[in-house]
């Protein structure tokens, strides 16, 4: 049957089924609906469109989905290849996230404003809806009509040029392909109106058609005009031939739309729902029917994998304003029809662009892009809801690569290469009724939009990028008839110049600006706040380029340059200087390029010649001939350097000063122009740029390597930017919008700041700044890096660029003193090459340094450098040319190096060349002669070498040659040279190798080497000459052999024993021991066995022969514990308790040792008890300690031992407190017994021990020691005749007389006598009265008794007052012998010399015992006494030193 029933719920799928005799089925993905088309037998045709209205959050297209979209903002085309729109690796995101909402474009995206050129108001054009058409190709005119039966022609600036009066309302109008003719048809008329754009005249053409014309269209490729009628007829009119071809019945109803292809095919659409394709003669070649009335027919090419046909083979049309119909002429049976989502609205318009892409605008404001590739058809590559309420038109400019849509009251422009970004928005807020149609001129410069209320607005969307620069001043086109002059570097206000025509060139100078087109130019003078038109000039040809300076203009046209004055200053101007044409008549060349600086006109020709014309002298001053023609020249601001591009697209820098040319490295062939830097610090920097990139170059002039050009880096040039000026790394570019945009070159990125850069970035910045010779910036970078390598790099760059002062600064910073000194020495050199040579040498570029030295005023510096570097080959070559007299000296140095490397042949030759024979250079010749001797021996010429060495005065040479000969086994000659050189030991050694003992014997008195003496001794012993052998062995310090000779051969044991005692030879001792054992002298044998460390053997010998005591004495303290134990056990067996105890103690068996010591009888010297105390002290055993204490206290035998042993025990045990108490007891006993010195010594030794152990000293001990010391001092003072000091000390002793019970009466007697002598009569009386007591009176010495009794009977109260001195603690004044301060209550330290208390300003201490003394008194007593009064150690006045800060001693005494 022919019926089909489908119920499908599919999304995003388009299905086309074609039923034919060979049934076919095709499936196409679609973003919109399920569209089914059936081609059935001729009797039936069915088309079914099932629109799918269900939606997911992912949008309407197949492929990758994005969630979160809201209705009306669907994201389609996630699978679109980024390459389709010129993107790399980026997906078209559409608007699933709402980013395409009209209110959500970012400020970055909407950053361009379109300038309105003019507006044609509704008052000029009657009717609400108007028609308009731009002139094709040129776009100079726009034809506009409304409902007033008139077509108005306006130029591109909005000026009306003509009117075409019609008989009715305009039906249609169109321009021919060249824009020369405008065809118009009107309602109720069979006439075609033709307006000629060149003559501005209107002609009328009778169509010959009887029915009303409804459609008109010019061919794209020819001069044919197609006219359709309301009844479907067609007229093809050829403008060139005036031929009219009527075609009747092309369609059955009104022809409403059509399109010509580039192959001159005509597609027409009609109300009869048919589309026909005809050739230029009107013959139908293809025909198809559609489901509804077609509109907006267009020709294009579908995107396929392989192009099956050439040219536009696809016809597209809107069908019923709902679907898009694609009809491939090569496959007419398989048309494609695409339907879209209903919420988009109806299709308003569409445009083909690119490689088979279609842009479609919908009535509800949606704007999508699809592809016609068979595998992508149905995928939305881009979608945006551009307008909230409605969209009325879309337009594409292929030249601009832009697309625009209009709706509501705004126009939105997208970049075709980046659709997702909004390029610009034009808001027309006063158009409340909305907008209507959009149309671009072919060149994309102007965009026209009509409105619903009948207004036409024209906007400037693209300006010709015209601009010029003079220094930092730039002039650029900001509107079609407006030029702006600006100088932002100098801070000058912008000046706007209104011009009369649209220029195609602009030139600017210091005081003028010129614009022009074709062969005409207009000149304007620039004032501070105004612009004055000067004049306009016509030239002999179309102007190619123009340059201005302050006075002249240079104009290039048709291979010539005209130089003329801009303003002629009256009569003063010289006529011959007003103008000149280049080249001259006789020059057979064409000028290809030119430039004008303040002083020079520079131009290049097709013959490769660059001319410099000096304007001031009005003559040529320089000429450079290049191998090929010159394409462009670019002088720097001064004209002293010029970059040029030749016909091979190679770049060069030319310096006319020295006529040198430097090739620009890595110069791209696509370079459009070159700009020089105007910043003074970067005067060698220039850039070359093409459409995509800016290349930064630096011309390094005056480096150590000469001048050269380097590539510093590249910067991406923003799209459609034209560089105009370069200042301090900032490139000022002109954009298509008529604005300027500054761009910082990446090579100058460090100018934007260094704070946030890491070390790697700072290293890159350092490299950049050094390339640009920005040393100050490089210094700052190095400071931030704080890296020695960075400073070194900066320093080397300064050397390279010959910046000596800055290099000194850098090297001083890094502490390189040598380089600073070297650079300071050369910085004043004026010779450029000499200075560069020095710097190249410092930079280790020695070959370059040599070349520079040789070309300088001091070529000898090259020779000096090579000599310093030890490059002897180069040095010799230079010396031959520069200083032949230096050849011998260089040859010698070279020979030394060759000798060191082992090249003896050449070394000999150079030594021979080094001989001068001049007495002034004797040392030099001797060195060469020595070299000849060495090299002769090495080369095998031994006789010559030996003779040379013998004749030579140098001992070292003889030694060296002898060593060479010895290594060559030429011993006789070697020994001879050693002997001549007085190296007797070496000579003797070599003579020994020759067995020449006679010579050895002669040399022995001069030989100290034991080895040689030993060899000689062995030889003499072998000969039986033992005395000589013994002497030689002794000289060799081989004592064992000496002893052996004396014992075995010379029978001289006394000498052997002497040697053993001196040398402590173990082996010798063994030999002597055996000798004495053989003689039966066991004591001596034991002694020498012990000396030879044969203790076991000595012990057995002593045991056998009852010589153990001898053995024990001999073994001493250097034996092992086993040896000591053996001896102890022996003595234990022999009941010799003391010796047994002694050796048990030595082997650490303290218990057994104490046992034996206590068994010893008590003798007067108490040696056994002393040893017992030592053993207990070493054992530190409490049991042993108690055992010994019991013994000493007499617990066992009832006989207490002397207390001194108990004291020594406590000291040995380090029980210092008990020892101190014992010491006080002992001292008291000694004191009672009258042994005052012993008591003093006991207390002193105990005092020093406690002080050393930092133990608090008992006050009783301190007091007793002070009183005893005062008593001892009496004898010293009395002996010296100082009775006052003696009396004072005796008074102190007498006041403590109870501590001296054995000598009370003698001490009191002495006190009375000394006090009387010293004038202390009252004190003498007091102590005399004490002697008169009954218990003392009878004990007074008879010779003093009467005198004392007389003193008592006749008392004398006179008394010499005691001196007052300050307390060392509180400075309280008190008597000098008082030791207790009443002020601070401190016990005062006393002087060990006088017994007085110490004072701060006269302080010293004994260096042995550290007791204080008055410095002045100590020195006086040491003049007669040679020992310390306290410790009795030897002392001299020189060993004393005065102490100026005694605080530590005072504090120490206080602590004690």
């Amino acid at each position: 049957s022919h019926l089909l029933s489908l119920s499908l719920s599919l999304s995003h799928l388009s299905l086309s089924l074609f039923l034919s005799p060979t049934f076919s089925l095709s499936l196409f993905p679609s973003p919109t609906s399920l569209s089914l088309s059936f081609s059935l037998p001729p009797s039936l045709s069915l088309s079914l469109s099932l629109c799918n209205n269900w939606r997911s959050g992912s949008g309407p297209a197949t492929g990758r989905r994005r969630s979160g979209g809201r209705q009306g903002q669907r994201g389609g085309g996630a699978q679109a290849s980024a390459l389709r729109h010129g993107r790399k690796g980026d997906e078209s995101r559409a608007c699933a996230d709402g980013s395409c909402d009209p209110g959500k474009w970012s400020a970055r995206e909407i950053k361009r404003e379109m300038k309105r050129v003019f507006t044609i108001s509704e008052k000029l054009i009657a009717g609400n809806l108007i028609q308009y058409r731009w002139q094709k190709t040129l776009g100079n005119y726009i034809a506009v009509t409304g409902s007033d039966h008139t077509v108005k022609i306006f130029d591109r600036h909005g000026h009306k040029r003509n009117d075409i009066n019609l008989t009715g309302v305009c039906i249609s109008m169109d321009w021919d392909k060249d824009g020369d003719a405008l065809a118009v048809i009107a309602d109720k008329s069979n006439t075609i109106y033709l307006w000629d754009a060149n003559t501005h005249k209107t002609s009328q053409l009778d169509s010959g058609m009887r029915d009303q014309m409804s459609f008109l269209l010019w061919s794209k490729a020819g001069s044919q005009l197609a006219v359709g009628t309301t009844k479907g007829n067609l007229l093809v009119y050829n403008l060139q031939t005036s031929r009219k071809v009527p075609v009747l019945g092309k369609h059955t109803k009104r022809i409403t739309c059509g399109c010509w292809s580039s192959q001159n095919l005509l597609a027409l659409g009609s109300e009869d729902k048919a589309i026909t394709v005809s050739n230029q003669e009107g013959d139908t070649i293809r025909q198809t029917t559609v489901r509804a009335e077609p509109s907006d027919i267009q020709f294009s090419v579908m995107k396929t994998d392989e192009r099956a046909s050439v040219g536009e083979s696809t016809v597209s049309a809107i069908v019923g304003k709902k679907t898009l119909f694609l009809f491939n002429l090569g496959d007419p049976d398989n048309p494609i029809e695409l339907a879209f989502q209903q919420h988009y609205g109806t299709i308003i318009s569409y445009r083909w662009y690119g490689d088979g892409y279609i842009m479609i605008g919908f009535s509800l404001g949606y704007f999508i892009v699809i592809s016609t590739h068979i595998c992508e058809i149905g995928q939305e590559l881009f979608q945006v809801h551009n307008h909230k309420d409605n969209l009325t038109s879309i337009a594409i400019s292929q030249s601009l690569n832009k697309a625009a849509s209009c709706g509501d009251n705004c126009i939105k422009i997208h970049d075709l290469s980046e659709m997702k970004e909004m390029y610009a928005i034009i808001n027309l807020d006063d158009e409340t009724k909305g907008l209507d149609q959009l149309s671009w001129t072919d060149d994309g410069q102007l965009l026209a939009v009509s409105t619903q209320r009948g207004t036409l607005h024209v906007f400037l969307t693209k300006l010709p990028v015209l601009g010029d620069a003079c220094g930092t001043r730039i002039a650029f086109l900001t509107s079609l008839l407006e030029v702006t002059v600006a100088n932002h570097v100098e801070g000058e206000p912008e000046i706007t110049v209104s011009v009369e025509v649209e220029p195609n060139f602009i030139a600017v100078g210091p005081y003028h600006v010129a614009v022009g087109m074709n062969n005409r130019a207009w000149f304007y003078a620039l004032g501070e706040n105004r612009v004055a038109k000067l004049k306009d000039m016509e030239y002999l040809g179309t102007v190619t380029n123009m340059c201005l300076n302050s006075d002249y203009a240079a104009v290039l046209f048709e291979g010539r340059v005209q130089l003329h004055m801009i303003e002629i200053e009256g009569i003063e101007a010289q006529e011959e200087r007003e103008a000149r044409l280049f080249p001259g008549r006789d020059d057979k060349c064409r000028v290809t390029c030119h430039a004008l600086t303040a002083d020079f006109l520079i131009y290049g020709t097709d013959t490769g010649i660059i001319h410099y014309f000096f304007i001031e002298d009005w003559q040529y001053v320089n000429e450079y001939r290049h191998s090929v023609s010159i394409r462009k020249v670019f002088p720097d601001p001064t004209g002293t350097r010029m970059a040029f591009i030749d016909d091979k697209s190679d770049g060069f820098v030319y310096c006319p000063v020295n006529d040198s040319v430097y090739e620009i490295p890595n110069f791209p062939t696509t370079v459009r122009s070159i700009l020089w830097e105007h910043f003074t610090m970067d005067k060698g920097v220039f850039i070359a740029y093409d459409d995509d990139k800016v290349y930064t170059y630096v011309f390094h002039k005056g480096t150590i390597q000469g001048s050269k050009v380097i590539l510093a880096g590249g910067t991406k040039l923003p799209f459609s930017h034209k560089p105009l000026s370069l200042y301090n790394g900032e490139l000022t570019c002109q954009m298509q919008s008529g604005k300027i945009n500054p761009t910082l070159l990446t090579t100058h990125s460090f100018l934007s700041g260094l704070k946030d850069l890491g070390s790697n970035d700072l290293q890159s910045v350092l490299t950049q700044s050094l390339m640009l010779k920005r040393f100050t910036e490089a210094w700052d970078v190095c400071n931030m890096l704080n890296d020695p390598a960075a400073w070194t790099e900066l320093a080397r760059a300064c050397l390279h660029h010959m910046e000596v002062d800055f290099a000194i600064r850098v090297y001083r910073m890094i502490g390189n003193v040598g380089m600073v000194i070297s650079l300071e020495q050369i910085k004043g050199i004026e010779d450029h090459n000499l200075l560069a040579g020095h710097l190249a040498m410092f930079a280790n570029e020695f070959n370059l340094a040599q070349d520079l030295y040789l070309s300088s005023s001091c070529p000898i510096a090259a020779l000096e450098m090579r000599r310093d570097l030890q490059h002897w080959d180069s040095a010799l070559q230079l010396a031959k040319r520069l200083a032949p007299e230096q050849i011998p000296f260089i040859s010698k140095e070279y020979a030394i190096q060759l000798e060191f490397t082992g090249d003896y042949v050449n070394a000999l030759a150079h030594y021979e060349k080094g001989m001068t024979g001049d007495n002034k250079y004797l040392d030099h010749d001797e060195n060469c002669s020595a070299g000849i001797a060495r090299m002769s021996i090495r080369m095998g010429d031994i006789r010559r070498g030996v003779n040379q060495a013998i004749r030579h005065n140098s001992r070292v040479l003889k030694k060296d040659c002898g060593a060479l000969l010895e290594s060559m086994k030429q011993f006789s000659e070697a020994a001879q040279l050693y002997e001549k050189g007085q190296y007797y030991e070496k000579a003797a050694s070599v003579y020994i190798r020759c067995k020449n003992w006679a010579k050895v014997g002669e040399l022995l008195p001069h030989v100290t080497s034991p080895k040689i003496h030993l060899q000689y001794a062995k030889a003499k012993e072998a000969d039986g000459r033992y005395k000589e052998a013994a002497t030689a062995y002794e000289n060799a310090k081989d004592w064992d052999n000496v002893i052996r000779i004396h014992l075995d051969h010379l029978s001289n044991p006394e000498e052997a024993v002497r040697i053993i005692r001196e040398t402590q030879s173990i082996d010798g001792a063994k030999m002597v021991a055996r000798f004495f054992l053989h003689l039966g002298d066991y004591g001596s044998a034991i002694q020498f066995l012990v000396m030879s460390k044969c203790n076991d053997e000595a012990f057995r010998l002593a045991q056998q022969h009852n010589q153990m005591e001898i053995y024990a004495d001999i073994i001493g303290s250097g034996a092992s514990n086993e040896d000591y134990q053996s001896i102890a056990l022996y003595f234990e067996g022999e009941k010799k308790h003391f010796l047994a105890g002694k050796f048990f103690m030595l082997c650490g068996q303290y218990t057994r040792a104490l046992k034996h010591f206590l068994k010893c009888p008590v003798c007067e010297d108490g040696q056994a008890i002393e040893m017992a105390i030592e053993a207990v002290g070493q054992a530190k055993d409490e049991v042993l300690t108690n055992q010994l204490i019991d013994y000493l206290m007499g617990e066992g035998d009832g006989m207490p031992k002397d207390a001194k042993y108990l004291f020594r025990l406590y000291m040995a045990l380090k029980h210092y407190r008990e020892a101190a108490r014992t010491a006080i007891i002992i001292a008291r006993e000694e004191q009672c017994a009258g042994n005052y010195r012993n008591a003093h010594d006991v207390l002193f030794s105990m005092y020093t021990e406690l002080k050393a152990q930092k133990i608090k000293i008992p006050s009783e001990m301190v007091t007793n020691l002070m009183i005893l010391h005062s008593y001892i001092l009496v004898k010293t003072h009395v002996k010296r005749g100082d009775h006052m000091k003696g009396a004072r000390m005796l008074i102190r002793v007498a006041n403590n007389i109870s501590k001296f019970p054995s000598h009370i009466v003698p001490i009191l007697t002495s006190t009375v006598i000394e006090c009387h002598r010293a004038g202390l009569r009252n004190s003498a009386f007091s102590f005399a009265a004490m002697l008169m007591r009954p218990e003392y009176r009878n004990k007074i010495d008879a010779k003093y008794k009467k005198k004392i009794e007389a003193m008592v009977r006749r008392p004398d109260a006179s008394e010499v007052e005691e001196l007052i001195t300050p307390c060392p603690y509180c400075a309280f004044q008190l008597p000098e012998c008082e030791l207790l301060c009443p002020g601070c209550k401190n016990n005062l330290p006393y002087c060990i010399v006088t017994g007085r208390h110490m004072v701060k300003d006269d302080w010293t201490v004994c260096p042995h015992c550290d007791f204080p003394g008055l410095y002045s008194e100590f020195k006086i007593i040491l003049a007669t006494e040679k020992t310390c009064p306290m410790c009795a150690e030897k002392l001299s006045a020189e060993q004393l030193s005065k102490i100026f800060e005694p605080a530590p001693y005072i504090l120490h005494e206080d602590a004690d």
Side-chain angles (χ1 to χ4, degrees), residues 1044-1055 1075:
R1044 179 179 58 80
I1045 294 293
H1046 279 296
L1047 292 177
D1048 295 347
H1049 300 290
L1050 298 178
S1051 299
N1052 190 357
E1054 293 81 5
E1055 184 64 18
F1075 180 81

Side-chain angles (χ1 to χ4, degrees), residues 651-672:
F652 301 88
V653 171
Y654 171 60
C655 293
V657 176
N658 53 13
D659 215 34
S660 53
V661 175
Y662 309 96
E663 185 174 0
I664 301 175
N666 305 314
F667 193 74
T669 58
T670 55
V671 167
R672 292 167 53 195

Side-chain angles (χ1 to χ4, degrees), residues 178 356 436 537 1205 1289:
D178 298 319
D436 187 21
M537 285 190 65
Y1205 296 121
M1289 291 301 102

Side-chain angles (χ1 to χ4, degrees), residues 644-897:
F644 68 88
I645 304 174
D646 65 13
D647 228 19
K648 294 181 179 179
S649 298
D650 294 329
F652 301 88
V653 171
Y654 171 60
C655 293
V657 176
N658 53 13
D659 215 34
S660 53
V661 175
Y662 309 96
E663 185 174 0
I664 301 175
N666 305 314
F667 193 74
T669 58
T670 55
V671 167
R672 292 167 53 195
S673 186
I674 291 174
L675 292 176
W676 285 88
E677 172 70 76
H678 288 86
F679 187 55
T680 53
M681 289 182 65
D682 286 344
K683 59 184 179 181
V685 176
F686 64 92
I687 59 116
Y689 64 89
D690 54 21
D691 292 333
D692 303 316
K693 197 170 183 181
V694 177
Y695 306 89
T696 305
Y697 294 94
V698 186
F699 177 59
H700 287 164
K701 183 181 179 182
T703 69
I704 58 174
Q705 296 176 346
S707 300
K708 63 178 180 179
V709 181
I710 66 162
L711 175 62
T715 306
K716 181 175 175 56
L717 184 64
F719 177 71
S720 71
H721 279 50
K722 177 189 175 184
L724 292 179
S725 177
L726 178 63
Y727 183 83
N728 195 20
E730 188 174 86
L731 185 63
T732 303
C733 300
Q734 182 183 3
M735 301 185 295
Q736 282 187 349
S737 61
K739 296 184 179 181
I740 58 173
N741 181 37
T743 301
L744 186 65
L745 299 177
T746 55
T747 50
H748 293 66
S749 60
F750 55 87
L751 297 176
S752 61
L754 305 174
K755 289 184 179 178
D756 300 325
L757 298 182
S759 58
N760 291 336
D761 294 332
L762 286 173
Q763 190 63 47
S764 301
V765 167
L766 177 61
T767 304
Q768 291 175 5
S769 55
L770 293 180
M771 281 186 179
L772 299 172
K773 295 175 65 175
R774 292 285 193 105
F775 297 118
T776 303
E777 287 81 358
W779 178 279
D780 296 337
V781 174
C782 289
N783 265 330
M784 295 180 70
L785 279 171
N786 196 22
D787 181 8
W791 287 109
T792 303
E793 186 178 353
L794 173 57
R796 291 184 63 84
C798 293
L799 295 181
H800 179 77
H801 293 287
M802 301 181 67
E803 296 286 344
V804 179
D805 289 329
F806 208 97
I808 291 172
R809 181 183 170 194
V810 176
Y811 279 118
R812 187 175 285 123
M813 176 69 186
I814 59 180
N816 192 332
V817 179
M819 282 300 292
V820 172
I821 294 173
S822 300
L823 291 172
E824 288 283 1
Q825 291 173 348
I826 67 169
K827 72 176 183 180
I829 295 175
E830 295 182 359
D831 187 331
H832 178 274
N833 287 336
L834 182 58
L835 178 60
H838 288 315
L839 296 176
M841 179 178 67
F842 294 157
N844 296 331
E845 298 183 25
F846 305 119
N847 292 333
L848 174 61
Q850 176 175 316
D851 295 339
L852 290 167
Y853 282 140
L854 291 177
S855 58
S856 72
S857 59
C858 183
I860 198 69
L863 175 60
E864 293 170 356
M865 178 191 72
R866 291 299 185 185
R867 289 186 68 174
D868 292 339
L869 293 171
Q870 298 185 357
H871 296 171
W872 304 114
D873 281 328
S874 301
L876 283 172
Q877 295 297 324
L878 291 170
K880 289 178 183 177
R881 186 164 45 143
L882 301 174
E885 69 279 1
Q886 293 295 318
I887 291 177
F889 305 101
I890 297 172
S891 294
K892 184 201 80 169
E893 299 292 340
Y894 193 13
I896 293 172
Q897 182 177 345

